[in-house]
Amino acid sequence: FHYSDEYGNPKIKKGWNLLSLPVRPVNTNWNVFYPNAMNVPYTFTSNQYQPETQLRPGVGYFIKYSDFVDTKFAGSYITEISDPTGDPVQLFPGWNAIGALSVPISINNISFTPFINPTLYPPPNEFFTKKHGVWGYKTKRGYEEVSIMEPGLGYWIKTGPEENTQGYLKLVADKPALLDTDFSNSEAYDKSAKIVLRDNAQHEGSVYMSTDENVDLRFFEMPPLPPTGLFDMRFSNGKKLELSEEAVISLQAVAYPVSISIENADADYKFFDALSGEEIGFITKGSNSNIEIEGTYSDVIKVVRTESEIAEFSISGYPNPASGD
């Protein structure tokens, strides 16, 4: 199995990756299958990250690489993941890190089977899971929702809604996508102001502020924070989108200086250090400008949306941090 994109570039990137087994290996030891990996893979179990030395199909793992990444894997193709086929990927209420198959599949192919007694432990509700989205992790961009699960990559799903929900993951390559319901939140994102952050390590993240009262905020919850040292950007309530005039953005593992801009700025936006209250800068309605943060502030930024007109806007002369090394 040669793991590269259509241009021949490795799909695994320098830095942190959320991966899964693209094939079923003969030897499941982590440093045999991922010989160039820098760490024992981390999976998410019992609501915390834990190292796992023996790898399993259908499970998502955070793995870090240097300049030397793995591009070839030996093993048999994985066309189904389920308890009956010997892959008991048990899912618990809340967020679970799962793996994909050896071929791309739609998120509509995600299904579940019961665990032991379905009366005591009802299986996860598929609509609930798909409405909360399937999230991948990109090394330079953090968490992003997907509609297709790619071989070799790991993903986050949320299961529920009952607190005693338990079941097994079931993925089948040739299963028809029977559900044609659109689970995408793209329409809500398109109608919102997009706050974009770029840092000096070429990370790029985004969150959204909306004024649409019809938006159901339950379905914009992001997966658990990635391990310490991995880039992440989200609102302090753990969501990707906020329906409020004021919100706090939480950052993790950013490299200062950072630049903040807004796409579709439908009002004036002021930014403050959330701890000290000191104003960082502002962006006016319809502006394509950006503000620069040199790194003297905390990793929590308060943003305030206002309809009032701001007469002036000043911008730092610091170079675009996205071009930094």
Side-chain angles (χ1 to χ4, degrees):
F1 190 98
H2 190 71
Y3 198 47
S4 59
D5 61 21
E6 64 270 27
Y7 304 106
N9 300 315
K11 287 190 176 182
I12 295 177
K13 306 300 181 183
K14 178 182 179 180
W16 285 96
N17 300 260
L18 181 55
L19 305 176
S20 66
L21 297 178
V23 292
R24 191 184 305 279
V26 175
N27 189 330
T28 61
N29 192 283
W30 74 276
N31 55 7
V32 174
F33 193 78
Y34 295 115
N36 289 311
M38 298 176 65
N39 66 290
V40 176
Y42 288 101
T43 188
F44 194 76
T45 304
S46 300
N47 208 34
Q48 62 181 338
Y49 290 103
Q50 297 182 4
E52 186 165 301
T53 59
Q54 300 299 319
L55 306 178
R56 297 174 290 144
V59 177
Y61 299 100
F62 273 110
I63 304 176
K64 188 177 184 180
Y65 279 88
S66 63
D67 292 316
F68 301 98
V69 301
D70 293 311
T71 58
K72 295 182 179 180
F73 301 99
S76 58
Y77 263 49
I78 305 171
T79 57
E80 179 175 345
I81 292 173
S82 64
D83 181 38
T85 58
D87 299 309
V89 180
Q90 190 172 352
L91 305 173
F92 297 93
W95 290 98
N96 296 264
I98 67 169
L101 302 179
S102 297
V103 294
I105 60 169
S106 165
I107 64 171
N108 278 339
N109 287 40
I110 296 174
S111 61
F112 311 107
T113 55
F115 170 71
I116 306 178
N117 188 333
T119 302
L120 295 177
Y121 303 99
N125 181 286
E126 292 182 25
F127 180 86
F128 176 92
T129 292
K130 293 165 186 174
K131 191 62 180 174
H132 277 81
V134 178
W135 298 75
Y137 184 88
K138 290 191 176 181
T139 304
K140 293 293 185 180
R141 301 178 68 93
Y143 288 127
E144 294 186 350
E145 286 191 70
V146 304
S147 58
I148 300 295
M149 298 174 65
E150 298 287 347
L153 298 182
Y155 299 93
W156 286 97
I157 61 171
K158 187 173 186 180
T159 59
E162 295 86 355
E163 291 184 359
N164 59 335
T165 293
Q166 291 190 36
Y168 291 111
L169 175 67
K170 184 175 183 179
L171 297 177
V172 183
D174 58 356
K175 176 184 175 183
L178 299 177
L179 299 177
D180 56 5
T181 304
D182 182 10
F183 296 102
S184 172
N185 289 318
S186 59
E187 183 177 354
Y189 290 139
D190 290 342
K191 295 180 179 179
S192 304
K194 182 180 181 181
I195 301 173
V196 181
L197 177 143
R198 299 177 177 88
D199 77 354
N200 203 44
Q202 298 184 344
H203 294 128
E204 179 178 323
S206 60
V207 291
Y208 297 79
M209 292 188 73
S210 174
T211 58
D212 186 355
E213 296 292 341
N214 295 317
V215 168
D216 191 337
L217 290 179
R218 293 177 301 168
F219 303 122
F220 293 90
E221 178 185 355
M222 296 179 67
L225 279 169
T228 302
L230 280 72
F231 173 75
D232 186 82
M233 178 182 182
R234 65 181 64 202
F235 287 112
S236 59
N237 60 6
K239 291 182 168 50
K240 181 82 168 178
L241 180 145
E242 184 60 278
L243 186 62
S244 174
E245 298 299 315
E246 296 184 8
V248 174
I249 300 171
S250 296
L251 305 174
Q252 177 174 291
V254 295
Y256 290 93
V258 302
S259 169
I260 296 178
S261 61
I262 298 181
E263 298 177 12
N264 191 28
D266 57 341
D268 299 333
Y269 289 83
K270 283 188 176 182
F271 295 85
F272 303 84
D273 181 293
L275 296 183
S276 68
E278 182 179 351
E279 182 174 340
I280 299 173
F282 56 84
I283 295 177
T284 56
K285 180 177 180 179
S287 172
N288 293 321
S289 302
N290 63 288
I291 61 175
E292 309 286 347
I293 305 177
E294 299 293 338
T296 57
Y297 299 95
S298 64
D299 285 344
V300 280
I301 299 172
K302 181 179 179 181
V303 55
V304 178
R305 179 185 184 277
T306 174
E307 296 293 345
S308 62
E309 294 295 329
I310 299 178
E312 298 181 8
F313 176 74
S314 60
I315 181 170
S316 159
Y318 199 94
N320 184 352
S323 64
D325 294 328

